[in-house]
């Protein structure tokens, strides 16, 4: 679903089948005594989602190979990676989200797949032989960066190792993913243009909208307006484009990226269709039984497993799509990032928040996890002995109505009234990714 080219260096991702000892990655390098010593031309990274039922035997990761085809400007078709000899294949290494943010009971159950294909200089341009052989213009990195490419990614079962060469029955068990890739240079050029024009924002908040009710549109508008004003890039994935009419007035502002879909909508179009949308409805729902027990305003439970799994994989997809960013902080639209060390002035908050994350990046921090505190909402009974007080502080109702009122007034500072710092009940932490070491995360951490 997503492909990225890391030029001249190894990918940040840690893929066990490539990086850990006695794996298919080390076995692959043993095929040629020079392979492990060659510098990188690039590393190709892929992210996708598959039904768990289709990847039985592949859950624990492993190896594979890549083939590509493209047409040169003179109309000549070019093919790379199709050689049957194992030593001449471009080997790739993959891992899945099995055991890593994959415990959702979504239906049908899915797994995310992360793949890296390290390309040495010799694999990219041909081995240097003291002028006796003309080096090529580029077999993998260059075409994917500059051309429209048709590719096939072959994944072998987790039990397979490249040595000895695979038997026919192993080849027949391969999973083959076909893809078309537009030139990667287009995105790189757009990023450079934004930097040159002073429009580039290196820290981002990302949210995924997976349901709709009377509050979600106004909340998304105020969420986007608040973080955009603080200097964040705001990345929005909106299932079915359900909230476009609310957000469209902000799309001209610098730093707001809106996508009318989520990953599950792309990966399972037969399930996430107009009939599914109508079935979901727009009434208020509780996401967890404990919320209903605490008295939150709702009529029924949501399909929390599907929504959490969709958000998780959408965020992982976004992390590969936005590898240029220094920070990506994952938040829901009812979550308010605020630094009490600065004042309630938006300019002061912007200066403090951007400076804080600049420092994290400069220090080489790979991840930040922020404890989320309950705000103006109901916590467990031990937080308050007064049942009357608890019954009047409904998280869904209070925050939703407060943000709706701020939306109707288009009042940014009114948002400060929607949260309280007076309650310190620890809840799910929120995750900010600064280095993209792990390809998979739960949507909260």
């Amino acid at each position: 679903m997503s492909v990225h080219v890391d030029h001249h260096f190894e990918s940040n991702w840690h893929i066990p089948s490539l990086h850990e000892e006695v794996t298919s990655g080390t076995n692959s390098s043993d095929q040629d005594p020079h392979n492990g010593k060659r510098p990188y031309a690039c590393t190709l990274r892929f992210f996708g989602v598959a039904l768990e039922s289709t990847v039985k035997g592949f859950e624990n990761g492993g190896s594979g190979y890549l083939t590509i085809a493209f047409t040169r400007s003179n109309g000549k078709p070019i093919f790379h990676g199709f050689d049957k000899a194992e030593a001449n294949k471009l080997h790739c290494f993959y891992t899945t989200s099995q055991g890593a943010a994959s415990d959702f009971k979504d239906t049908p159950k899915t797994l995310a797949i992360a793949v890296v294909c390290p390309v040495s200089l010799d694999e990219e341009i041909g081995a240097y032989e003291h002028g006796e052989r003309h080096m090529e213009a580029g077999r993998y990195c260059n075409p994917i960066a500059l051309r429209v490419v048709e590719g096939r990614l072959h994944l072998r079962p987790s039990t397979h190792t490249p040595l000895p060469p695979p038997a026919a029955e192993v080849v027949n068990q391969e999973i083959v993913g076909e893809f078309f890739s537009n030139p990667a240079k287009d995105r790189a050029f757009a990023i450079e243009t934004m930097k040159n024009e002073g429009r580039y924002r290196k820290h981002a908040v990302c949210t995924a909208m997976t349901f709709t009710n009377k509050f979600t549109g106004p909340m998304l508008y105020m969420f986007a307006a608040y973080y955009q004003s603080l200097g964040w890039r705001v990345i929005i994935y909106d299932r079915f484009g359900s909230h476009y009419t609310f957000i469209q007035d902000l799309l001209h502002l610098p730093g707001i990226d809106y996508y009318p879909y989520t990953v599950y909508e792309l990966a399972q179009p037969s399930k996430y269709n107009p009939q599914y949308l109508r079935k979901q409805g727009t009434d208020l729902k509780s996401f967890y039984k404990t919320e209903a027990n605490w008295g939150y305003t709702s009529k029924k439970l949501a399909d929390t497993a599907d929504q959490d799994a969709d958000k998780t994989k959408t965020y992982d997809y976004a992390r590969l799509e936005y590898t240029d960013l220094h920070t990506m902080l994952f938040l829901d639209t009812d979550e308010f990032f605020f630094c009490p060390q600065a004042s309630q002035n938006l300019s002061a908050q912007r200066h403090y928040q951007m400076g804080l994350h600049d420092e994290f990046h400069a220090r080489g921090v790979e991840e930040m996890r922020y404890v989320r505190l309950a705000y103006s909402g109901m916590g467990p009974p031990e937080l308050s002995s007064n049942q009357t007080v608890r019954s009047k502080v409904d998280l869904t109702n209070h925050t939703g109505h407060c943000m709706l009122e701020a939306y109707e007034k288009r009042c940014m500072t009114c948002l400060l009234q929607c949260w309280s710092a007076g309650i310190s009940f620890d809840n799910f932490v929120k995750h900010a990714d600064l280095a993209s070491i792990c390809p998979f995360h739960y949507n909260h951490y």
Side-chain angles (χ1 to χ4, degrees):
M1 297 181 67
S2 181
V3 58
H4 179 73
V5 183
D6 296 305
H7 288 287
H8 309 304
F9 63 90
E10 184 178 1
S11 160
N12 291 338
W13 278 353
H14 177 79
I15 305 295
S17 58
L18 172 62
H19 294 110
E20 296 180 2
E21 293 185 9
V22 194
T23 66
S24 53
T26 56
N27 290 340
S28 174
S29 65
D30 289 341
Q31 295 181 32
D32 187 322
H34 303 293
N35 191 52
K37 301 177 182 178
R38 298 170 183 161
Y40 282 100
C42 74
T43 300
L44 305 175
R45 283 194 279 174
F46 300 85
F47 175 86
V49 175
L51 297 179
E52 187 182 57
S53 59
T54 67
V55 292
K56 295 295 184 184
F58 296 77
E59 303 96 323
N60 296 321
S63 62
Y65 58 95
L66 176 69
T67 65
I68 66 169
F70 60 93
T71 303
R72 285 185 175 162
S73 55
N74 61 6
K76 181 180 179 181
I78 302 296
F79 305 89
H80 289 304
F82 289 87
D83 196 314
K84 292 184 179 181
E86 286 294 300
N88 295 332
K89 292 183 182 298
L90 179 64
H91 290 277
C92 303
F93 307 90
Y94 72 94
T95 186
T96 77
S97 59
Q98 178 73 36
S102 66
D103 295 331
F104 305 108
K105 310 245 182 254
D106 49 327
T107 306
K109 188 167 177 55
T110 62
L111 289 177
I113 301 175
V115 185
V116 295
C117 305
V119 185
S120 70
L121 278 176
D122 284 1
E123 288 169 323
E124 175 68 3
I125 61 175
Y128 178 70
E129 298 179 1
H130 304 287
E132 297 178 6
R133 177 180 175 183
H134 177 69
M135 291 188 289
E136 300 177 18
R139 299 172 183 168
Y140 301 99
C141 311
N142 183 277
I144 291 179
L146 302 179
R147 303 180 185 279
V148 175
V149 168
E150 179 182 356
R152 288 187 177 183
L153 193 57
H154 298 250
L155 302 183
R156 290 166 169 167
S158 298
T159 54
H160 169 71
T161 56
L163 295 178
E169 59 267 22
V170 174
V171 174
N172 292 335
Q173 294 174 11
E174 292 177 353
I175 291 177
V176 181
E178 298 182 349
F179 66 92
F180 284 90
S181 174
N182 289 319
K185 68 176 178 61
D186 294 344
R187 185 173 184 84
F189 179 77
I191 292 170
E192 287 303 312
T193 299
M194 286 191 293
K195 289 180 178 179
N196 293 336
E197 296 177 353
R199 297 185 293 113
Y200 182 71
R201 297 183 173 208
K202 54 194 173 184
H203 306 299
V205 293
C206 182
T207 193
M209 305 292 291
T210 56
F211 65 94
T212 305
N213 61 44
K214 64 182 180 181
F215 295 128
T216 53
M219 291 170 76
L220 177 61
Y221 179 96
M222 297 308 298
F223 172 93
Y226 173 74
Y227 288 104
Q228 193 276 340
S229 69
L230 292 184
W232 293 88
R233 189 167 187 166
V234 182
I235 304 168
I236 302 165
Y237 292 91
D238 183 18
R239 186 188 284 179
F240 300 116
S242 298
H243 300 88
Y244 174 77
T245 55
F246 288 94
I247 202 72
Q248 60 181 334
D249 290 345
L250 300 179
L251 298 184
H252 70 283
L253 297 176
I256 293 187
D257 297 345
Y258 174 80
Y259 303 97
Y261 56 81
T262 61
V263 160
Y264 269 17
E265 191 179 346
L266 298 178
Q268 303 181 69
S270 61
K271 175 180 177 178
Y272 295 94
N273 53 31
Q275 291 76 21
Y276 181 92
L277 176 61
R278 288 193 294 270
K279 182 180 177 181
Q280 291 300 101
T282 59
D283 52 336
L284 296 175
K285 303 179 182 68
S286 295
F287 281 84
Y288 305 97
K289 290 182 179 180
T290 52
E291 292 180 333
N293 294 338
W294 291 345
Y296 293 172
T297 301
S298 63
K299 295 182 179 179
K300 60 182 179 180
L301 287 173
D303 55 341
T304 306
D306 275 10
Q307 293 192 40
D308 270 356
D310 190 5
K311 289 167 64 175
T312 294
K313 293 176 176 65
T314 298
Y315 290 155
D316 287 340
Y317 167 82
R319 291 160 70 238
L320 185 57
E321 289 285 288
Y322 285 91
T323 54
D324 58 289
L325 294 176
H326 289 186
T327 308
M328 188 175 286
L329 173 61
F330 304 104
L331 297 175
D332 294 330
T333 55
D334 63 346
E335 290 169 337
F336 187 63
F337 192 87
F338 182 82
C339 297
Q341 300 92 330
S343 70
Q344 293 191 5
N345 177 278
L346 292 179
S347 177
Q349 280 292 320
R350 174 173 181 157
H351 177 77
Y352 193 91
Q353 292 187 20
M354 295 299 100
L356 182 69
H357 289 88
D358 282 343
E359 183 174 351
F360 290 155
H361 181 266
R363 290 185 176 186
V365 174
E366 295 177 353
E367 293 185 9
M368 285 299 300
R369 293 185 180 180
Y370 299 101
V371 174
R372 188 180 72 172
L373 304 180
Y375 47 84
S376 297
M378 193 177 280
E382 60 264 30
L383 283 181
S384 172
S385 59
N386 189 323
Q387 180 66 36
T388 302
V389 172
R390 290 204 310 275
S391 66
K392 292 181 179 179
V393 189
D394 182 329
L395 175 66
T396 303
N397 242 355
H398 176 80
T399 308
H401 280 293
C402 184
M403 294 187 75
L404 176 59
E405 183 177 344
Y407 168 76
E408 291 172 344
K409 296 178 180 179
R410 300 299 194 273
C411 175
M412 195 73 66
T413 56
C414 293
L415 283 177
L416 300 176
Q417 303 170 18
C418 300
W419 286 269
S420 169
I423 299 175
S424 58
F425 168 64
D426 288 359
N427 207 311
F428 287 115
V429 297
K430 305 305 293 188
H431 169 74
D433 186 23
L434 287 86
S436 189
I437 301 300
C438 302
F440 311 118
H441 282 276
Y442 174 47
N443 68 63
H444 285 287
Y445 49 83

